[in-house]
Amino acid sequence: MSDEEIGRGLVRGDEECLALAHRRWSRLVHTLAARVLGDAREAEDVTQQVFLAAWRGRAGYRPERGPVPAWLVGIARRKIADALTARTRRLDLVAAAGAAVQTAVTAQGDPERVLDRIVVTRELARLPRDQRDVLTLAFFGDLTQVQIAHRTGLPLGTVKSHARRGLQRMRRGLAAAG
């Protein structure tokens, strides 16, 4: 069956055409998602979401605008962006939870520790988001760099670079503050 026939069948609601489309282009969608997300399991979820969205939105497919694979890639790009947004939200929640736990523990400590915590938190807030997220997960989440890479989907080398640059920047900021 040709790509055009599959596209017309999808619009008509032919489930066999959906199965053919999945067999023909799921690898393309999965590869794209895996490259961007850096996580094969997350890419599998996105691939499933793409074909589900294609089925649900099949009435919106217009063959004159482009072939089925291009339409699927467009859906994939949106679903990948959604996955990245959700990942960022999860990281923010983890960082906030870690900071809240650490604050509760620190509040019971001596005044010097409380002051140190305030200064470090202020310096963390000044960092670029990527560096701040990595260092927050390391300090407040008590995660190793390997665990951070796994949780965020970032390559280990990138996590190490963010941590090193963030620490250097914090050191300069603290030195300047006196």
Side-chain angles (χ1 to χ4, degrees):
M1 193 176 274
S2 72
D3 293 358
E4 294 82 19
E5 291 171 324
I6 291 174
R8 285 192 299 271
L10 277 172
V11 172
R12 285 192 316 267
D14 184 345
E15 292 179 15
E16 181 60 32
C17 287
L18 175 65
L20 281 169
H22 188 270
R23 278 195 297 275
R24 194 170 289 180
W25 297 300
S26 64
R27 188 173 301 154
L28 167 72
V29 170
H30 184 271
T31 300
L32 177 63
R35 283 185 184 159
V36 174
L37 297 170
D39 183 339
R41 287 181 303 186
E42 199 171 8
E44 289 171 10
D45 290 343
V46 166
T47 302
Q48 184 178 16
Q49 292 171 17
V50 166
F51 283 92
L52 182 60
W55 180 250
R56 289 180 177 163
R58 64 188 179 270
Y61 172 66
R62 300 287 178 258
E64 62 275 4
R65 289 187 179 169
V68 175
W71 179 60
L72 292 171
V73 167
I75 295 170
R77 290 175 60 179
R78 288 188 296 280
K79 295 299 180 184
I80 291 167
D82 291 346
L84 290 170
T85 300
R87 180 188 291 172
T88 301
R89 267 191 244 118
R90 285 191 307 269
L91 284 175
D92 289 345
L93 288 173
V94 167
V101 168
Q102 187 64 26
T103 300
V105 169
T106 303
Q108 298 170 0
D110 62 69
E112 285 296 316
R113 290 187 61 185
V114 172
L115 183 59
D116 288 346
R117 167 106 173 111
I118 291 169
V119 170
V120 169
T121 302
R122 186 186 71 221
E123 287 302 315
L124 272 173
R126 293 180 179 169
L127 294 176
R129 181 181 195 95
D130 292 337
Q131 294 171 7
R132 181 178 62 240
D133 290 346
V134 167
L135 291 177
T136 300
L137 287 170
F139 292 132
F140 301 128
D142 198 29
L143 298 177
T144 66
Q145 291 177 336
V146 171
Q147 291 168 324
I148 293 168
H150 179 71
R151 180 163 297 168
T152 62
L154 294 171
L156 179 59
T158 302
V159 169
K160 290 180 177 191
S161 295
H162 286 328
R164 182 177 44 79
R165 287 188 200 113
L167 288 171
Q168 288 171 342
R169 201 170 185 158
M170 284 180 71
R171 187 178 304 123
R172 285 191 303 268
L174 290 169

PDB file of all heavy atoms in Angstrom, residues 37-42 87 90-91 94 134 137 143-160:
ATOM      1  N   LEU A  37      15.384  13.232  23.344  1.00  0.00           N
ATOM      2  CA  LEU A  37      15.138  13.008  24.766  1.00  0.00           C
ATOM      3  C   LEU A  37      16.290  12.286  25.464  1.00  0.00           C
ATOM      4  O   LEU A  37      16.458  12.431  26.676  1.00  0.00           O
ATOM      5  CB  LEU A  37      13.849  12.208  24.957  1.00  0.00           C
ATOM      6  CG  LEU A  37      12.578  12.893  24.470  1.00  0.00           C
ATOM      7  CD1 LEU A  37      11.410  11.920  24.489  1.00  0.00           C
ATOM      8  CD2 LEU A  37      12.280  14.124  25.307  1.00  0.00           C
ATOM      9  N   GLY A  38      17.059  11.495  24.707  1.00  0.00           N
ATOM     10  CA  GLY A  38      18.170  10.774  25.303  1.00  0.00           C
ATOM     11  C   GLY A  38      17.732   9.623  26.193  1.00  0.00           C
ATOM     12  O   GLY A  38      18.505   9.159  27.023  1.00  0.00           O
ATOM     13  N   ASP A  39      16.515   9.156  26.050  1.00  0.00           N
ATOM     14  CA  ASP A  39      15.982   8.093  26.899  1.00  0.00           C
ATOM     15  C   ASP A  39      15.071   7.219  26.046  1.00  0.00           C
ATOM     16  O   ASP A  39      14.023   7.665  25.585  1.00  0.00           O
ATOM     17  CB  ASP A  39      15.213   8.715  28.064  1.00  0.00           C
ATOM     18  CG  ASP A  39      14.676   7.689  29.050  1.00  0.00           C
ATOM     19  OD1 ASP A  39      14.532   6.502  28.683  1.00  0.00           O
ATOM     20  OD2 ASP A  39      14.385   8.069  30.201  1.00  0.00           O
ATOM     21  N   ALA A  40      15.457   5.961  25.860  1.00  0.00           N
ATOM     22  CA  ALA A  40      14.702   5.062  24.990  1.00  0.00           C
ATOM     23  C   ALA A  40      13.299   4.789  25.519  1.00  0.00           C
ATOM     24  O   ALA A  40      12.340   4.715  24.736  1.00  0.00           O
ATOM     25  CB  ALA A  40      15.457   3.739  24.811  1.00  0.00           C
ATOM     26  N   ARG A  41      13.152   4.651  26.829  1.00  0.00           N
ATOM     27  CA  ARG A  41      11.815   4.383  27.383  1.00  0.00           C
ATOM     28  C   ARG A  41      10.889   5.580  27.192  1.00  0.00           C
ATOM     29  O   ARG A  41       9.716   5.420  26.851  1.00  0.00           O
ATOM     30  CB  ARG A  41      11.909   4.024  28.859  1.00  0.00           C
ATOM     31  CG  ARG A  41      12.488   2.623  29.084  1.00  0.00           C
ATOM     32  CD  ARG A  41      12.534   2.317  30.529  1.00  0.00           C
ATOM     33  NE  ARG A  41      13.332   3.373  31.174  1.00  0.00           N
ATOM     34  CZ  ARG A  41      13.689   3.368  32.434  1.00  0.00           C
ATOM     35  NH1 ARG A  41      13.310   2.416  33.214  1.00  0.00           N
ATOM     36  NH2 ARG A  41      14.421   4.339  32.931  1.00  0.00           N
ATOM     37  N   GLU A  42      11.417   6.761  27.409  1.00  0.00           N
ATOM     38  CA  GLU A  42      10.616   7.961  27.199  1.00  0.00           C
ATOM     39  C   GLU A  42      10.266   8.103  25.714  1.00  0.00           C
ATOM     40  O   GLU A  42       9.162   8.530  25.371  1.00  0.00           O
ATOM     41  CB  GLU A  42      11.374   9.187  27.711  1.00  0.00           C
ATOM     42  CG  GLU A  42      10.510  10.378  27.971  1.00  0.00           C
ATOM     43  CD  GLU A  42      11.249  11.508  28.683  1.00  0.00           C
ATOM     44  OE1 GLU A  42      12.485  11.435  28.857  1.00  0.00           O
ATOM     45  OE2 GLU A  42      10.575  12.477  29.047  1.00  0.00           O
ATOM     46  N   ARG A  87       9.413  16.978  31.850  1.00  0.00           N
ATOM     47  CA  ARG A  87      10.667  16.640  32.537  1.00  0.00           C
ATOM     48  C   ARG A  87      11.136  17.833  33.372  1.00  0.00           C
ATOM     49  O   ARG A  87      11.561  17.673  34.508  1.00  0.00           O
ATOM     50  CB  ARG A  87      11.735  16.257  31.517  1.00  0.00           C
ATOM     51  CG  ARG A  87      13.055  15.899  32.148  1.00  0.00           C
ATOM     52  CD  ARG A  87      14.134  15.716  31.116  1.00  0.00           C
ATOM     53  NE  ARG A  87      13.915  14.527  30.306  1.00  0.00           N
ATOM     54  CZ  ARG A  87      14.637  14.242  29.235  1.00  0.00           C
ATOM     55  NH1 ARG A  87      15.593  15.065  28.839  1.00  0.00           N
ATOM     56  NH2 ARG A  87      14.408  13.147  28.548  1.00  0.00           N
ATOM     57  N   ARG A  90       9.087  18.103  36.449  1.00  0.00           N
ATOM     58  CA  ARG A  90       9.479  17.087  37.434  1.00  0.00           C
ATOM     59  C   ARG A  90      10.756  17.498  38.152  1.00  0.00           C
ATOM     60  O   ARG A  90      10.872  17.343  39.367  1.00  0.00           O
ATOM     61  CB  ARG A  90       9.673  15.729  36.753  1.00  0.00           C
ATOM     62  CG  ARG A  90       8.392  15.033  36.375  1.00  0.00           C
ATOM     63  CD  ARG A  90       8.620  13.597  35.945  1.00  0.00           C
ATOM     64  NE  ARG A  90       9.608  13.429  34.904  1.00  0.00           N
ATOM     65  CZ  ARG A  90       9.347  13.419  33.598  1.00  0.00           C
ATOM     66  NH1 ARG A  90       8.123  13.598  33.179  1.00  0.00           N
ATOM     67  NH2 ARG A  90      10.310  13.233  32.720  1.00  0.00           N
ATOM     68  N   LEU A  91      11.716  18.026  37.406  1.00  0.00           N
ATOM     69  CA  LEU A  91      12.963  18.476  38.031  1.00  0.00           C
ATOM     70  C   LEU A  91      12.709  19.604  39.013  1.00  0.00           C
ATOM     71  O   LEU A  91      13.295  19.636  40.099  1.00  0.00           O
ATOM     72  CB  LEU A  91      13.960  18.945  36.960  1.00  0.00           C
ATOM     73  CG  LEU A  91      14.652  17.864  36.168  1.00  0.00           C
ATOM     74  CD1 LEU A  91      15.512  18.491  35.071  1.00  0.00           C
ATOM     75  CD2 LEU A  91      15.494  17.009  37.067  1.00  0.00           C
ATOM     76  N   VAL A  94      11.271  18.088  42.139  1.00  0.00           N
ATOM     77  CA  VAL A  94      12.291  17.387  42.907  1.00  0.00           C
ATOM     78  C   VAL A  94      13.179  18.400  43.634  1.00  0.00           C
ATOM     79  O   VAL A  94      13.481  18.239  44.821  1.00  0.00           O
ATOM     80  CB  VAL A  94      13.156  16.480  41.993  1.00  0.00           C
ATOM     81  CG1 VAL A  94      14.398  15.996  42.699  1.00  0.00           C
ATOM     82  CG2 VAL A  94      12.333  15.299  41.503  1.00  0.00           C
ATOM     83  N   VAL A 134      21.114  21.028  38.100  1.00  0.00           N
ATOM     84  CA  VAL A 134      22.072  19.959  38.385  1.00  0.00           C
ATOM     85  C   VAL A 134      22.591  20.074  39.815  1.00  0.00           C
ATOM     86  O   VAL A 134      22.613  19.091  40.568  1.00  0.00           O
ATOM     87  CB  VAL A 134      23.238  19.972  37.362  1.00  0.00           C
ATOM     88  CG1 VAL A 134      24.386  19.100  37.827  1.00  0.00           C
ATOM     89  CG2 VAL A 134      22.743  19.513  35.998  1.00  0.00           C
ATOM     90  N   LEU A 137      19.870  19.217  42.435  1.00  0.00           N
ATOM     91  CA  LEU A 137      19.672  17.773  42.561  1.00  0.00           C
ATOM     92  C   LEU A 137      20.834  17.123  43.304  1.00  0.00           C
ATOM     93  O   LEU A 137      20.639  16.188  44.084  1.00  0.00           O
ATOM     94  CB  LEU A 137      19.492  17.133  41.188  1.00  0.00           C
ATOM     95  CG  LEU A 137      18.156  17.413  40.500  1.00  0.00           C
ATOM     96  CD1 LEU A 137      18.194  16.926  39.055  1.00  0.00           C
ATOM     97  CD2 LEU A 137      17.020  16.760  41.250  1.00  0.00           C
ATOM     98  N   LEU A 143      21.892  13.392  45.039  1.00  0.00           N
ATOM     99  CA  LEU A 143      22.075  12.484  43.915  1.00  0.00           C
ATOM    100  C   LEU A 143      23.503  12.589  43.379  1.00  0.00           C
ATOM    101  O   LEU A 143      24.104  13.661  43.404  1.00  0.00           O
ATOM    102  CB  LEU A 143      21.099  12.829  42.785  1.00  0.00           C
ATOM    103  CG  LEU A 143      19.604  12.714  43.093  1.00  0.00           C
ATOM    104  CD1 LEU A 143      18.788  13.161  41.882  1.00  0.00           C
ATOM    105  CD2 LEU A 143      19.232  11.308  43.490  1.00  0.00           C
ATOM    106  N   THR A 144      24.005  11.476  42.875  1.00  0.00           N
ATOM    107  CA  THR A 144      25.302  11.493  42.209  1.00  0.00           C
ATOM    108  C   THR A 144      25.116  12.046  40.803  1.00  0.00           C
ATOM    109  O   THR A 144      23.988  12.154  40.304  1.00  0.00           O
ATOM    110  CB  THR A 144      25.886  10.070  42.101  1.00  0.00           C
ATOM    111  OG1 THR A 144      25.050   9.297  41.234  1.00  0.00           O
ATOM    112  CG2 THR A 144      25.992   9.406  43.473  1.00  0.00           C
ATOM    113  N   GLN A 145      26.216  12.347  40.137  1.00  0.00           N
ATOM    114  CA  GLN A 145      26.127  12.853  38.776  1.00  0.00           C
ATOM    115  C   GLN A 145      25.539  11.808  37.836  1.00  0.00           C
ATOM    116  O   GLN A 145      24.773  12.148  36.925  1.00  0.00           O
ATOM    117  CB  GLN A 145      27.492  13.336  38.289  1.00  0.00           C
ATOM    118  CG  GLN A 145      27.940  14.593  39.010  1.00  0.00           C
ATOM    119  CD  GLN A 145      29.324  15.047  38.608  1.00  0.00           C
ATOM    120  OE1 GLN A 145      30.143  14.272  38.138  1.00  0.00           O
ATOM    121  NE2 GLN A 145      29.592  16.331  38.804  1.00  0.00           N
ATOM    122  N   VAL A 146      25.836  10.555  38.055  1.00  0.00           N
ATOM    123  CA  VAL A 146      25.268   9.479  37.233  1.00  0.00           C
ATOM    124  C   VAL A 146      23.752   9.425  37.442  1.00  0.00           C
ATOM    125  O   VAL A 146      22.988   9.299  36.479  1.00  0.00           O
ATOM    126  CB  VAL A 146      25.927   8.121  37.579  1.00  0.00           C
ATOM    127  CG1 VAL A 146      25.210   6.969  36.892  1.00  0.00           C
ATOM    128  CG2 VAL A 146      27.400   8.134  37.192  1.00  0.00           C
ATOM    129  N   GLN A 147      23.314   9.540  38.693  1.00  0.00           N
ATOM    130  CA  GLN A 147      21.871   9.530  38.972  1.00  0.00           C
ATOM    131  C   GLN A 147      21.183  10.743  38.354  1.00  0.00           C
ATOM    132  O   GLN A 147      20.070  10.642  37.836  1.00  0.00           O
ATOM    133  CB  GLN A 147      21.623   9.501  40.488  1.00  0.00           C
ATOM    134  CG  GLN A 147      22.014   8.188  41.135  1.00  0.00           C
ATOM    135  CD  GLN A 147      22.024   8.282  42.650  1.00  0.00           C
ATOM    136  OE1 GLN A 147      22.376   9.301  43.236  1.00  0.00           O
ATOM    137  NE2 GLN A 147      21.630   7.187  43.295  1.00  0.00           N
ATOM    138  N   ILE A 148      21.844  11.896  38.411  1.00  0.00           N
ATOM    139  CA  ILE A 148      21.276  13.113  37.818  1.00  0.00           C
ATOM    140  C   ILE A 148      21.140  12.933  36.304  1.00  0.00           C
ATOM    141  O   ILE A 148      20.110  13.278  35.724  1.00  0.00           O
ATOM    142  CB  ILE A 148      22.132  14.347  38.151  1.00  0.00           C
ATOM    143  CG1 ILE A 148      22.066  14.639  39.656  1.00  0.00           C
ATOM    144  CG2 ILE A 148      21.682  15.564  37.352  1.00  0.00           C
ATOM    145  CD1 ILE A 148      23.091  15.658  40.134  1.00  0.00           C
ATOM    146  N   ALA A 149      22.158  12.379  35.666  1.00  0.00           N
ATOM    147  CA  ALA A 149      22.110  12.145  34.221  1.00  0.00           C
ATOM    148  C   ALA A 149      20.953  11.217  33.877  1.00  0.00           C
ATOM    149  O   ALA A 149      20.199  11.460  32.927  1.00  0.00           O
ATOM    150  CB  ALA A 149      23.434  11.555  33.730  1.00  0.00           C
ATOM    151  N   HIS A 150      20.796  10.170  34.661  1.00  0.00           N
ATOM    152  CA  HIS A 150      19.706   9.225  34.404  1.00  0.00           C
ATOM    153  C   HIS A 150      18.350   9.890  34.603  1.00  0.00           C
ATOM    154  O   HIS A 150      17.448   9.732  33.786  1.00  0.00           O
ATOM    155  CB  HIS A 150      19.832   8.007  35.314  1.00  0.00           C
ATOM    156  CG  HIS A 150      18.745   7.015  35.141  1.00  0.00           C
ATOM    157  ND1 HIS A 150      18.644   6.226  34.024  1.00  0.00           N
ATOM    158  CD2 HIS A 150      17.689   6.701  35.918  1.00  0.00           C
ATOM    159  CE1 HIS A 150      17.571   5.469  34.124  1.00  0.00           C
ATOM    160  NE2 HIS A 150      16.966   5.736  35.272  1.00  0.00           N
ATOM    161  N   ARG A 151      18.208  10.640  35.663  1.00  0.00           N
ATOM    162  CA  ARG A 151      16.914  11.264  35.975  1.00  0.00           C
ATOM    163  C   ARG A 151      16.543  12.346  34.971  1.00  0.00           C
ATOM    164  O   ARG A 151      15.395  12.482  34.590  1.00  0.00           O
ATOM    165  CB  ARG A 151      16.949  11.863  37.377  1.00  0.00           C
ATOM    166  CG  ARG A 151      15.614  12.514  37.718  1.00  0.00           C
ATOM    167  CD  ARG A 151      15.405  12.762  39.152  1.00  0.00           C
ATOM    168  NE  ARG A 151      15.385  11.517  39.894  1.00  0.00           N
ATOM    169  CZ  ARG A 151      15.439  11.454  41.206  1.00  0.00           C
ATOM    170  NH1 ARG A 151      15.518  12.539  41.907  1.00  0.00           N
ATOM    171  NH2 ARG A 151      15.423  10.297  41.826  1.00  0.00           N
ATOM    172  N   THR A 152      17.526  13.142  34.539  1.00  0.00           N
ATOM    173  CA  THR A 152      17.226  14.270  33.651  1.00  0.00           C
ATOM    174  C   THR A 152      17.271  13.897  32.177  1.00  0.00           C
ATOM    175  O   THR A 152      16.743  14.629  31.347  1.00  0.00           O
ATOM    176  CB  THR A 152      18.220  15.428  33.866  1.00  0.00           C
ATOM    177  OG1 THR A 152      19.543  14.971  33.550  1.00  0.00           O
ATOM    178  CG2 THR A 152      18.148  15.955  35.288  1.00  0.00           C
ATOM    179  N   GLY A 153      17.940  12.793  31.863  1.00  0.00           N
ATOM    180  CA  GLY A 153      18.096  12.430  30.464  1.00  0.00           C
ATOM    181  C   GLY A 153      19.253  13.150  29.795  1.00  0.00           C
ATOM    182  O   GLY A 153      19.462  13.007  28.601  1.00  0.00           O
ATOM    183  N   LEU A 154      20.008  13.925  30.579  1.00  0.00           N
ATOM    184  CA  LEU A 154      21.176  14.615  30.033  1.00  0.00           C
ATOM    185  C   LEU A 154      22.348  13.645  29.965  1.00  0.00           C
ATOM    186  O   LEU A 154      22.473  12.762  30.822  1.00  0.00           O
ATOM    187  CB  LEU A 154      21.565  15.798  30.935  1.00  0.00           C
ATOM    188  CG  LEU A 154      20.593  16.958  31.029  1.00  0.00           C
ATOM    189  CD1 LEU A 154      21.031  17.927  32.130  1.00  0.00           C
ATOM    190  CD2 LEU A 154      20.510  17.681  29.704  1.00  0.00           C
ATOM    191  N   PRO A 155      23.243  13.807  28.996  1.00  0.00           N
ATOM    192  CA  PRO A 155      24.457  12.987  28.973  1.00  0.00           C
ATOM    193  C   PRO A 155      25.294  13.268  30.226  1.00  0.00           C
ATOM    194  O   PRO A 155      25.294  14.388  30.741  1.00  0.00           O
ATOM    195  CB  PRO A 155      25.197  13.458  27.713  1.00  0.00           C
ATOM    196  CG  PRO A 155      24.157  14.124  26.876  1.00  0.00           C
ATOM    197  CD  PRO A 155      23.152  14.689  27.829  1.00  0.00           C
ATOM    198  N   LEU A 156      26.005  12.250  30.703  1.00  0.00           N
ATOM    199  CA  LEU A 156      26.802  12.388  31.919  1.00  0.00           C
ATOM    200  C   LEU A 156      27.816  13.519  31.790  1.00  0.00           C
ATOM    201  O   LEU A 156      28.000  14.305  32.727  1.00  0.00           O
ATOM    202  CB  LEU A 156      27.500  11.065  32.253  1.00  0.00           C
ATOM    203  CG  LEU A 156      28.382  11.076  33.494  1.00  0.00           C
ATOM    204  CD1 LEU A 156      27.570  11.455  34.734  1.00  0.00           C
ATOM    205  CD2 LEU A 156      29.037   9.708  33.676  1.00  0.00           C
ATOM    206  N   GLY A 157      28.450  13.642  30.639  1.00  0.00           N
ATOM    207  CA  GLY A 157      29.430  14.715  30.438  1.00  0.00           C
ATOM    208  C   GLY A 157      28.801  16.096  30.576  1.00  0.00           C
ATOM    209  O   GLY A 157      29.413  17.021  31.113  1.00  0.00           O
ATOM    210  N   THR A 158      27.577  16.239  30.114  1.00  0.00           N
ATOM    211  CA  THR A 158      26.864  17.511  30.231  1.00  0.00           C
ATOM    212  C   THR A 158      26.563  17.811  31.692  1.00  0.00           C
ATOM    213  O   THR A 158      26.719  18.949  32.155  1.00  0.00           O
ATOM    214  CB  THR A 158      25.567  17.481  29.405  1.00  0.00           C
ATOM    215  OG1 THR A 158      25.908  17.207  28.042  1.00  0.00           O
ATOM    216  CG2 THR A 158      24.809  18.790  29.492  1.00  0.00           C
ATOM    217  N   VAL A 159      26.139  16.796  32.449  1.00  0.00           N
ATOM    218  CA  VAL A 159      25.870  16.977  33.880  1.00  0.00           C
ATOM    219  C   VAL A 159      27.150  17.420  34.586  1.00  0.00           C
ATOM    220  O   VAL A 159      27.138  18.361  35.386  1.00  0.00           O
ATOM    221  CB  VAL A 159      25.315  15.677  34.508  1.00  0.00           C
ATOM    222  CG1 VAL A 159      25.279  15.772  36.024  1.00  0.00           C
ATOM    223  CG2 VAL A 159      23.936  15.367  33.956  1.00  0.00           C
ATOM    224  N   LYS A 160      28.260  16.763  34.270  1.00  0.00           N
ATOM    225  CA  LYS A 160      29.532  17.126  34.903  1.00  0.00           C
ATOM    226  C   LYS A 160      29.937  18.559  34.547  1.00  0.00           C
ATOM    227  O   LYS A 160      30.404  19.314  35.406  1.00  0.00           O
ATOM    228  CB  LYS A 160      30.634  16.149  34.484  1.00  0.00           C
ATOM    229  CG  LYS A 160      30.446  14.776  35.084  1.00  0.00           C
ATOM    230  CD  LYS A 160      31.556  13.838  34.656  1.00  0.00           C
ATOM    231  CE  LYS A 160      31.372  12.493  35.331  1.00  0.00           C
ATOM    232  NZ  LYS A 160      32.524  11.622  35.167  1.00  0.00           N
TER     233      LYS A 160
END
